[in-house]
Amino acid sequence: MAIGFRQTLVRLLGKMPARSALQPKILERIPLQGFVREKVSYQVESGQRVSAYLFLPEGEGRRPAVLCIHQHNREFHLGKSEPAGLSGNPEQYFALELAKRGYVTLAPDAICFEERQHPSLRGADFERFEATRRLAEGSCLQAKMVWDLQRALDYLETRREVDPRRLGCLGHSLGGQETLFLSAIDRRIAAGVSSCGFSSYRAIFDAALLHNFAAYVPGILRYGGLERVLGLVAPRPFLVLAASEDSLFPMPGVQETVKSARRSYGTRGRDRLRLEAFPGGHGFPGPMREAAYAWFDRWLRSRR
């Protein structure tokens, strides 16, 4: 049943880019206390490269790695540099913090952000352009987002420092949304954490909330909602972090989505699919980040 819906979801996403060689490059390498930070780039499709920050902790052997996906927040000038701890909100420095805990981390730019902005279109206008153009081509912006993140996983697998059996994914807001979709589609993700990344479509529409264009997959409600997407992650560990006063992702819709997805997890649902709610609004404060890091410590560090 899950295999069938995964195929359906891929079909709904529509046309994907043609695969091309990664052609990876290391653009800079900066030794820091306890780890090295590299700026790298790789090709996601022919003629289109993505830049990312890669953190490599000191020490020998292959390590677990976490793909760190930045938020949206309508701050198109920010992308990879925020989780890397180079700019933006310190609450979002999770790629840097995980590296200090001994994880390899990779933080790429999503399309429309930081180095992937359009030279003349403003951020929101470029995002709208990318979404509408892809709809006309028989695809959608979510398809492009997932594709680029899968290429990030491809890149991580090329690095000798990474244990490809222990790949995690973490993101907040837009990053939490993309953690959900990537984990559902790509089984290389061994453990995921989504922070303030989704609610049910019903709750979002009932509240007349506007979200990023990648949040919507054409025709998905004919087959259910995000509970079906979350169910595809089973039986892999997935932590949902939510804020009780999040005005973007209503808590009742988060609870409904997780409750419905538990059916796909069966008896392992309570252990491997968890919802942790925190007080406050849409954010990623210290207690939420610590819960995320503890999840990876449990499911990635112990896995051999």
Side-chain angles (χ1 to χ4, degrees):
M1 186 175 179
I3 294 175
F5 182 65
R6 183 174 289 108
Q7 293 172 342
T8 297
L9 179 58
V10 171
R11 177 175 59 80
L12 291 173
L13 288 171
K15 179 183 176 184
M16 290 286 190
R19 182 168 291 276
S20 61
L22 277 173
Q23 298 179 5
K25 296 180 181 179
I26 299 175
L27 306 177
E28 67 179 23
R29 183 176 171 87
I30 300 177
L32 299 167
Q33 187 172 0
F35 55 87
V36 170
R37 186 187 71 225
E38 293 183 353
K39 184 178 182 182
V40 303
S41 76
Y42 48 87
Q43 188 168 245
V44 292
E45 54 181 295
S46 181
Q48 187 176 126
R49 300 187 68 84
V50 168
S51 294
Y53 285 114
L54 177 71
F55 289 88
L56 301 168
E58 291 178 349
E60 298 297 323
R62 292 178 177 265
R63 294 175 178 264
V66 179
L67 177 58
C68 297
I69 311 173
H70 62 77
Q71 66 172 344
H72 191 293
N73 205 32
R74 299 181 181 272
E75 295 177 320
F76 294 94
H77 64 288
L78 293 176
K80 63 185 178 301
S81 64
E82 192 165 41
L86 297 174
S87 59
N89 186 346
E91 282 192 355
Q92 302 295 321
Y93 290 179
F94 46 91
L96 174 62
E97 291 179 346
L98 277 168
K100 291 178 178 179
R101 297 172 74 107
Y103 291 88
V104 174
T105 57
L106 180 70
D109 284 333
I111 191 166
C112 303
F113 290 86
E114 202 162 309
E115 292 187 49
R116 302 182 72 186
Q117 296 181 84
H118 194 275
S120 58
L121 290 174
R122 292 180 301 173
D125 290 338
F126 184 36
E127 184 183 37
R128 179 184 177 192
F129 170 78
E130 284 290 337
T132 52
R133 175 172 71 88
R134 291 173 194 284
L135 286 173
E137 295 173 344
S139 186
C140 64
L141 189 56
Q142 183 57 243
K144 174 59 174 169
M145 291 273 194
V146 167
W147 176 267
D148 288 354
L149 292 170
Q150 288 185 295
R151 298 299 277 159
L153 295 180
D154 292 343
Y155 176 75
L156 280 172
E157 288 186 323
T158 70
R159 299 295 303 231
R160 60 177 176 80
E161 301 93 344
V162 171
D163 182 349
R165 301 167 301 170
R166 294 189 287 165
L167 298 178
C169 189
L170 168 63
H172 171 75
S173 196
L174 171 68
Q177 168 187 294
E178 294 312 305
T179 296
L180 169 62
F181 277 97
L182 179 64
S183 299
I185 289 170
D186 199 314
R187 297 187 66 81
R188 287 178 292 179
I189 298 298
V193 180
S194 172
S195 168
C196 298
F198 62 88
S199 182
S200 67
Y201 284 126
R202 178 187 301 174
I204 289 170
F205 294 150
D206 284 350
L209 295 171
L210 296 175
H211 279 289
N212 67 88
F213 286 99
Y216 311 104
V217 175
I220 192 171
L221 287 178
R222 297 201 307 267
Y223 302 90
L226 293 180
E227 75 282 355
R228 297 291 306 275
V229 179
L230 181 54
L232 292 178
V233 184
R236 290 165 291 147
F238 197 86
L239 174 63
V240 180
L241 301 174
S244 60
E245 299 170 42
D246 192 336
S247 59
L248 295 179
F249 297 104
M251 179 63 77
V254 180
Q255 294 169 326
E256 175 191 346
T257 301
V258 174
K259 180 179 179 180
S260 297
R262 287 192 190 282
R263 302 187 189 112
S264 298
Y265 276 81
T267 57
R268 291 181 288 188
R270 189 174 301 277
D271 190 44
R272 293 187 169 225
L273 175 59
R274 181 179 299 174
L275 169 61
E276 293 191 20
F278 292 80
H282 189 76
F284 199 22
M288 293 178 76
R289 298 199 309 279
E290 284 301 318
Y293 305 157
W295 190 257
F296 290 126
D297 287 347
R298 177 182 180 187
W299 295 105
L300 293 185
R301 281 195 190 279
S302 60
R303 180 175 178 174
R304 297 291 178 183

